[in-house]
Amino acid sequence: MAPIVSKIGIIGAGVSGLAAAKQVSHHNPIVFEATDSIGGVWRHCSYSSTKLQSSRCDYEFSDFPWPDRDNTSFPSHTEILEYLHSYANHFDVLKFVRFNSKVVEIKFVNDGQEATDFSGKPGSLLPGHPVWEVAVQTNDSDSVQWYAFEFIVVCIGKYGDLPRIPEFPYNRGPEIFQGEVLHALDYCKLDKESASNLLQGKKVAVIGYKKSAIDLALECAEANQGPEGQPCTMVVRTLHWTVPHYWVWGLPFYMFYSTRTSQFLHERPNQSLLRTLLCLLLSPMRHGVSKFIESYLLWKLPLQKYGLKPDHPFEEDYASCQMAIMPENFFSEADKGKIVFKRASKWWFSKEGIEFDDDTKVDADVVVLATGYDGKKKLKAILPDPFRSLLEYPSGVMPLYRGTIHPLIPNMAFVGYLESVSNLHSSELRSIWLARLLDDKFKLPSVEKMIEQATKEMEVSKKTTRFYKRHCISTFSINHSDEICEEMGWTSWRKKNWLSEAFSPYGSQDYDKEN
């Protein structure tokens, strides 16, 4: 069967996929969504208690405000899905989406040439003939339908779908455990009643200490109220700073990191020698801001009481987009003994529960692995050679120019792989940038210059945080967006207007789905 030929294919209908589809709608893209719904992680990787970590006005498309955007409460995942459906219906994006259509293979064709013949020169991004062929499996059928595209936008994201499972010593894995083991991804698939039945009256161990693990431990505590309830044990390897809200000693959080003045304290790519020297002179102020915030968090939250004070500065977690909102009643449950903490660098299973490298152990009936997702494995599963090998980058960060284009992969873009103070706005701006690129409104620089720019950003992140592999630009996100707007040829007033809407006044971050 001959492939169906189209200009642009988009893989994934989460937030990034919807943003991309809306911006390139004039090309009539085909959007492949493996499930029966839009929404991505908000639909398939959320607990009943999952909420956004910022207010609604900080998580909205620039041309589609929330109907109740002044509501200061954090919206639930169901409210976010309703908002995304409203957005998709308003801009008639759903007509492009093919649900229950899983991409199982991608081939590089380039008009009959082998992939290894690619010269690495961007050239025209829409040359008028297919560059990629995509195999799509619909409704779990045994057969596939092939499509041919001039350009592909990959929006499958870094989170969800494929869980990251820890490695264990021989005969010390889940196979010897007499209880139940599941990943947070499996827990997300349970309805509220099933989740409560799984946790109620059980000795539960949650592995992890990021947002998903924190929410899960709280759900476990709430399911085990009363004298018969069992405590939930959080097994913590790496500590991270958490915040109770977006005020610090009476000052709004955005003042510290999300204004042009505050970002002036941080190094950024392409800065002048004068600015580099000034940034060095102001480094004590930058460290002082971090200490100021830490002092509030240590006063407000019982981190030292429970041995949860991180060893690294707060700014490292902010610079890697790992700042999490602590639920209001989390530590009150810990005070009641419903949540307990175990610090451990190494652990493994036993028949009765979990054992640690300090010769202690915890009995458990249920172990939930809130250990994150393998986004790289998701990409490697569909990308062909030799492009698959380009994901094995020495730095651990995929070198994406403007967070979107891999300089060595032709006619393909990645939206949703760069994190910032607001991932929705990052995806929207990069989708606008991509649409203008595809419409030939501007040209890409040479491969060498694109790699150089991506390398500069990575080096800045390396200097700022040990967790740089998350590819987060929060400390220089305004400068990053300035450069994108200038490259698109936007006038200064238009750039200023878009950025004033796009950047969170609270400096908050979207719900962190990785653990």
Side-chain angles (χ1 to χ4, degrees):
M1 182 183 297
I4 298 173
V5 180
S6 186
K7 181 163 281 192
I8 299 177
I10 299 174
I11 306 175
V15 172
S16 298
L18 293 176
K22 189 260 184 181
Q23 298 301 330
V24 300
S25 59
H26 53 291
H27 291 294
N28 293 312
I30 298 177
V31 182
F32 300 112
E33 170 54 45
T35 70
D36 60 356
S37 173
I38 64 172
V41 293
W42 291 112
R43 174 65 177 84
H44 306 289
C45 300
S46 297
Y47 310 152
S48 61
S49 63
T50 297
K51 291 185 177 182
L52 187 70
Q53 292 204 101
S54 58
S55 58
R56 358 189 136 244
C57 64
D58 305 328
Y59 193 85
E60 64 182 7
F61 294 100
S62 61
D63 52 3
F64 192 74
W66 283 78
D68 55 344
R69 71 188 309 268
D70 294 329
N71 184 339
T72 57
S73 65
F74 294 168
S76 66
H77 68 99
T78 54
E79 291 178 285
I80 295 169
L81 286 173
E82 290 172 1
Y83 172 74
L84 294 177
H85 276 281
S86 297
Y87 173 82
N89 287 325
H90 180 79
F91 292 106
D92 200 20
V93 171
L94 293 179
K95 67 182 180 183
F96 304 122
V97 182
R98 303 195 179 187
F99 293 104
N100 298 305
S101 300
K102 181 179 180 180
V103 173
V104 294
E105 185 180 357
I106 299 177
K107 290 182 179 180
F108 181 75
V109 290
N110 198 21
D111 201 23
Q113 298 180 30
E114 294 294 326
T116 51
D117 291 338
F118 176 60
S119 64
K121 297 179 181 179
S124 175
L125 288 173
L126 291 178
H129 58 79
V131 177
W132 298 99
E133 288 187 352
V134 176
V136 178
Q137 187 179 45
T138 305
N139 293 318
D140 295 324
S141 63
D142 294 331
S143 61
V144 298
Q145 170 67 58
W146 283 91
Y147 296 78
F149 296 103
E150 297 174 22
F151 198 93
I152 292 179
V153 188
V154 180
C155 302
I156 60 176
K158 299 189 288 186
Y159 310 130
D161 297 326
L162 294 179
R164 180 181 291 118
I165 305 297
E167 295 183 357
F168 301 99
Y170 174 73
N171 204 31
R172 289 291 185 269
E175 69 279 358
I176 69 167
F177 178 50
Q178 295 177 342
E180 185 172 357
V181 181
L182 66 160
H183 190 271
L185 181 62
D186 303 310
Y187 182 83
C188 290
K189 298 175 183 178
L190 302 176
D191 57 38
K192 190 171 183 178
E193 182 179 358
S194 299
S196 180
N197 291 336
L198 173 72
L199 304 174
Q200 191 171 21
K202 307 286 181 58
K203 298 176 182 177
V204 180
V206 176
I207 313 299
Y209 186 67
K210 292 186 186 175
K211 184 57 178 173
S212 293
I214 290 170
D215 285 347
L216 200 156
L218 183 57
E219 289 196 12
C220 179
E222 292 174 343
N224 280 280
Q225 298 298 306
E228 302 300 321
Q230 298 289 331
C232 173
T233 301
M234 293 193 75
V235 179
V236 183
R237 185 182 66 174
T238 304
L239 290 171
H240 293 283
W241 290 96
T242 57
V243 298
H245 44 65
Y246 292 122
W247 291 84
V248 178
W249 296 120
L251 298 174
F253 190 87
Y254 78 90
M255 289 180 58
F256 301 105
Y257 288 106
S258 294
T259 65
R260 291 186 179 275
T261 302
S262 62
Q263 292 214 330
F264 204 73
L265 299 174
H266 301 274
E267 184 177 352
R268 67 189 188 194
N270 306 314
Q271 64 185 15
S272 65
L273 177 59
L274 179 60
R275 195 188 185 286
T276 300
L277 293 173
L278 188 57
C279 190
L280 182 62
L281 290 173
L282 294 176
S283 60
M285 183 179 294
R286 183 177 71 250
H287 298 317
V289 167
S290 185
K291 289 294 183 183
F292 182 74
I293 295 173
E294 291 167 31
S295 70
Y296 177 77
L297 298 180
L298 293 174
W299 172 78
K300 187 68 175 179
L301 301 175
L303 302 180
Q304 291 178 315
K305 174 182 176 180
Y306 291 107
L308 299 176
K309 178 184 178 296
D311 295 327
H312 56 269
F314 173 83
E315 66 177 318
E316 289 200 42
D317 278 340
Y318 182 83
S320 55
C321 296
Q322 296 194 96
M323 186 181 70
I325 287 285
M326 182 64 73
E328 185 176 355
N329 56 335
F330 181 83
F331 282 114
S332 63
E333 293 298 328
D335 291 339
K336 293 190 296 185
K338 295 302 182 182
I339 300 176
V340 297
F341 307 95
K342 171 63 181 178
R343 294 289 311 280
S345 57
K346 295 182 180 180
W347 63 276
W348 49 86
F349 284 95
S350 65
K351 289 183 179 180
E352 297 80 16
I354 296 174
E355 296 180 349
F356 304 96
D357 55 357
D358 61 359
D359 295 328
T360 60
K361 63 180 182 179
V362 169
D363 292 339
D365 303 308
V366 178
V367 175
V368 186
L369 304 173
T371 50
Y373 305 93
D374 198 335
K376 187 188 295 185
K377 188 175 181 180
K378 289 171 63 176
L379 284 176
K380 291 175 69 174
I382 60 173
L383 279 183
D385 285 327
F387 307 111
R388 184 184 294 125
S389 63
L390 297 177
L391 301 179
E392 297 298 336
Y393 25 90
S395 67
V397 180
M398 185 160 56
L400 295 177
Y401 178 70
R402 302 306 186 202
T404 308
I405 297 290
H406 194 299
L408 298 178
I409 302 181
N411 291 40
M412 181 177 286
F414 300 83
V415 179
Y417 287 83
L418 175 143
E419 299 185 61
S420 71
V421 294
S422 179
N423 290 336
L424 181 147
H425 292 311
S426 293
S427 293
E428 183 185 24
L429 179 56
R430 279 146 195 82
S431 295
I432 295 171
W433 177 87
L434 179 62
R436 292 178 68 84
L437 175 66
L438 296 178
D439 291 340
D440 208 27
K441 298 293 180 64
F442 66 94
K443 298 290 186 181
L444 288 174
S446 67
V447 168
E448 292 77 14
K449 287 189 177 297
M450 287 194 287
I451 293 177
E452 180 184 6
Q453 174 65 24
T455 302
K456 286 179 180 179
E457 293 175 9
M458 180 188 63
E459 291 301 322
V460 168
S461 295
K462 273 187 174 183
K463 294 177 182 178
T464 308
T465 176
R466 69 196 69 187
F467 309 112
Y468 63 88
K469 292 183 180 181
R470 289 177 61 92
H471 200 182
C472 171
I473 60 167
S474 62
T475 57
F476 57 91
S477 56
I478 294 177
N479 175 73
H480 196 273
S481 294
D482 279 347
E483 291 182 348
I484 286 179
C485 291
E486 290 166 3
E487 192 167 43
M488 287 192 290
W490 278 8
T491 57
S492 58
W493 69 265
R494 183 176 183 182
K495 178 182 71 174
K496 181 178 179 181
N497 182 61
W498 194 91
L499 289 176
S500 67
E501 296 175 351
F503 282 97
S504 163
Y506 293 98
S508 56
Q509 293 155 48
D510 304 342
Y511 186 85
D512 177 15
K513 303 305 298 184
E514 185 175 19
N515 297 280

